[in-house]
Amino acid sequence: MKLLTVLAVPLVLAAAGAAAGVFYLQSQGVTPRALAPYLLKRTSGHNGVIVGAGQLAASTLLRLDRGAVQAYALPPLTLGAQPEGPPAPAGNERLVASADEARQAIANAAAGDIITFLPGDYAIRGTVYARQAGSADAPIVVRAVRPGTVTIALNAGEGFAVSAPYWRFENLTIRGACRSDSSCDHAFHVVGKAHHFVARNNTISDFNAHFKINGIRGSFPDHGLIESNTLGNTAPRRTTHPVTPIDLVAASDWRIRANLIHDFVKSWGDRISYGAFAKGGAERTVFERNVVLCERALVGQPGQRVGLSFGGGGTGKRYCRDGRCITEHDGGVMRANLVSGCSDVGIYLNSAANTQVLHNTLLDTAGVQVRFSESGATVEGNLVDGALHSRDGGVLRVGDNLTTAIGWLYLGRHPQRVLFAEPKRLDLRWRDAAPRRDGGTGGNDLCGATRGSGAGYGAFQDFHACVQGGL
């Protein structure tokens, strides 16, 4: 008995030390997936025993937090680019059958022109400039009749540079075709006076920032819409340039809706990337009903990948709307989004005032982080496979959510993740009855259903409705 008592003392002390360590990490908002790369970095360059111990500790932490990370095929979703696009608008149709004809038609466009690519593959070198203005009643539209019939390969730092109002791009397949990833920054650069820009039902791949949106010389491209597009990359981006499929700076009143954003891995430089952000003094951006999959095909890569953000990594003052960036963003809404498979947080608010985070589902992410005293967020109705955390003075107003404390992640416990059939493959049928809440926020859920009183937590009531033909 005395021997057992002697042996028990160090075991109890070790357990107490481990518990204290987990409590401290939880208080600091450090998840296992964040601690793992830190351990690898701190143990690299030492002798083999230390390096091996660091690798073992890191792999154990990732396994507890993330489980098996593997590529998977997506079911055909009702979000993102669809097989049937929007109907043809009325206007003066101009058919183009070559890259030169397209460039000329866009350069000389007038309000009400409908520039239609005939079916085929188009290789366009250099930037195509859209400088003529459409109008509210007669926008300039660039489109394919049917999605999937027109593929445009762009070889330029900026593919389409739009600097005039009321342009719309629809039903196009666009890919970056540069030898160097740093040479294919943007499929679209929406800048200055290009207000009321619309991109709908396009499939765009292999760019650093598929959409770059910013002001210039006191003009800002406000009131834009990016809807029902599929944005992704087929390989990690070997560049030090920013990697963010939707990179919005200093423009206000944008709607980012019903898009599929996936595989935005940055393998050079700081290795930090985002699915989409709005920053630089922007206001009233709405992210709603988007599916953001940080890792679907490109799995197991080093680096930090964040789902959605107001504020991103911050903005240089000269690029801010007010020249000061007192706040990076004000009055934003994130509503009914699904964010999954991120090596960092699913939602990050950096100096983002008056933000509403409502009925989102976050799976296999480090949760939600609200940072800096300028940030204030109301978080209500979300289902988060992780924690809600504020740091550096961020104000977090927490309502009724389903979340998981960070401490549980160090024990490999994921009570929200196990609510679903196979979340790692995006089979998000409920294992049992969906958890319901008393209140509701109205509006549509991820799959388009009306959210009534007593609706469930998170982005959707029945994921079956998000899959074409059902699960």
Side-chain angles (χ1 to χ4, degrees):
M1 180 64 70
K2 182 180 291 186
L3 178 60
L4 292 177
T5 302
V6 171
L7 292 174
V9 170
L11 292 176
V12 169
L13 290 175
V22 169
F23 180 80
Y24 174 77
L25 292 169
Q26 177 168 290
S27 70
Q28 298 301 305
V30 179
T31 60
R33 73 187 64 204
L35 183 59
Y38 173 80
L39 289 177
L40 286 175
K41 182 177 180 180
R42 290 301 302 264
T43 57
S44 66
H46 293 274
N47 63 54
V49 173
I50 294 177
V51 170
Q55 292 173 341
L56 177 61
S59 65
T60 300
L61 289 169
L62 289 176
R63 186 171 64 254
L64 289 170
D65 195 353
R66 304 201 61 186
V69 179
Q70 54 189 349
Y72 61 93
L74 271 178
L77 300 177
T78 58
L79 290 307
Q82 299 299 299
E84 296 294 330
N92 174 35
E93 186 170 41
R94 301 178 63 180
L95 302 178
V96 297
S98 70
D100 288 341
E101 288 180 7
R103 187 186 297 275
Q104 185 175 8
I106 290 171
N108 298 321
D113 278 359
I114 313 298
I115 300 169
T116 302
F117 281 83
L118 294 175
D121 296 334
Y122 296 79
I124 300 179
R125 297 184 63 86
T127 301
V128 178
Y129 293 96
R131 293 169 170 156
Q132 307 303 316
S135 67
D137 295 331
I140 300 170
V141 182
V142 181
R143 71 192 304 267
V145 173
R146 292 186 61 82
T149 62
V150 172
T151 298
I152 301 172
L154 296 176
N155 188 339
E158 300 174 3
F160 294 97
V162 184
S163 57
Y166 294 103
W167 281 78
R168 287 166 44 185
F169 293 80
E170 301 174 343
N171 300 340
L172 302 171
T173 299
I174 302 172
R175 64 179 182 87
C178 302
R179 290 186 178 182
S180 164
D181 287 350
S182 295
S183 298
C184 271
D185 266 333
H186 317 310
F188 291 95
H189 188 189
V190 184
V191 64
K193 297 179 180 180
H195 55 83
H196 291 91
F197 171 91
V198 176
R200 183 182 286 120
N201 209 58
N202 304 289
T203 299
I204 307 174
S205 64
D206 297 330
F207 293 89
N208 300 325
H210 303 52
F211 290 94
K212 174 67 177 181
I213 303 146
N214 64 272
I216 188 171
R217 293 188 291 275
S219 295
F220 301 93
D222 296 337
H223 302 288
L225 173 65
I226 299 175
E227 180 177 45
S228 298
N229 301 279
T230 295
L231 313 176
N233 291 316
T234 58
R237 303 298 290 173
R238 301 176 65 185
T239 182
T240 59
H241 295 185
V243 173
T244 301
I246 300 177
D247 180 333
L248 188 159
V249 180
S252 294
D253 296 298
W254 275 70
R255 299 293 181 269
I256 315 297
R257 181 168 61 217
N259 301 284
L260 169 61
I261 305 172
H262 67 93
D263 292 314
F264 41 92
V265 175
K266 179 179 179 180
S267 63
W268 285 8
D270 61 11
R271 293 178 173 174
I272 301 172
S273 55
Y274 299 79
F277 62 52
K279 62 177 187 173
E283 296 181 336
R284 297 176 297 279
T285 307
V286 176
F287 290 123
E288 62 181 352
R289 301 183 55 232
N290 299 286
V291 175
V292 181
L293 308 175
C294 299
E295 301 174 8
R296 184 197 63 81
L298 306 180
V299 301
Q301 303 288 328
Q304 297 167 263
R305 285 166 288 285
V306 176
L308 297 173
S309 177
F310 290 140
T315 310
K317 289 185 177 181
R318 66 191 180 108
Y319 300 111
C320 296
R321 189 168 185 128
D322 59 3
R324 297 179 295 170
C325 268
I326 295 174
T327 60
E328 286 285 345
H329 195 277
D330 197 348
V333 177
M334 296 186 184
R335 177 173 53 225
N337 301 286
L338 168 63
V339 183
S340 181
C342 302
S343 60
D344 207 307
V345 292
I347 292 176
Y348 176 53
L349 305 181
N350 170 9
S351 298
N354 304 308
T355 303
Q356 297 183 65
V357 180
L358 308 173
H359 278 286
N360 301 282
T361 294
L362 276 60
L363 300 171
D364 184 23
T365 81
V368 177
Q369 184 177 112
V370 180
R371 189 175 184 190
F372 298 121
S373 58
E374 295 82 4
S375 287
T378 298
V379 183
E380 178 78 32
N382 302 279
L383 188 154
V384 182
D385 175 33
L388 310 177
H389 178 67
S390 65
R391 59 179 293 201
D392 300 317
V395 177
L396 185 57
R397 296 178 288 274
V398 179
D400 180 24
N401 305 274
L402 290 182
T403 64
T404 303
I406 289 175
W408 287 124
L409 304 180
Y410 282 92
L411 299 176
R413 184 166 182 238
H414 297 271
Q416 316 315 329
R417 195 181 303 178
V418 298
L419 294 172
F420 302 101
E422 196 174 0
K424 300 297 289 185
R425 294 190 176 276
L426 221 65
D427 181 352
L428 300 182
R429 293 172 294 179
W430 300 103
R431 288 182 181 271
D432 298 304
R436 301 288 177 178
R437 54 192 302 261
D438 294 333
T441 57
N444 292 336
D445 75 358
L446 177 73
C447 308
T450 301
R451 188 189 303 281
S453 179
Y457 294 86
F460 51 85
Q461 302 177 67
D462 179 7
F463 194 70
H464 183 278
C466 281
V467 179
Q468 295 178 16
L471 287 166

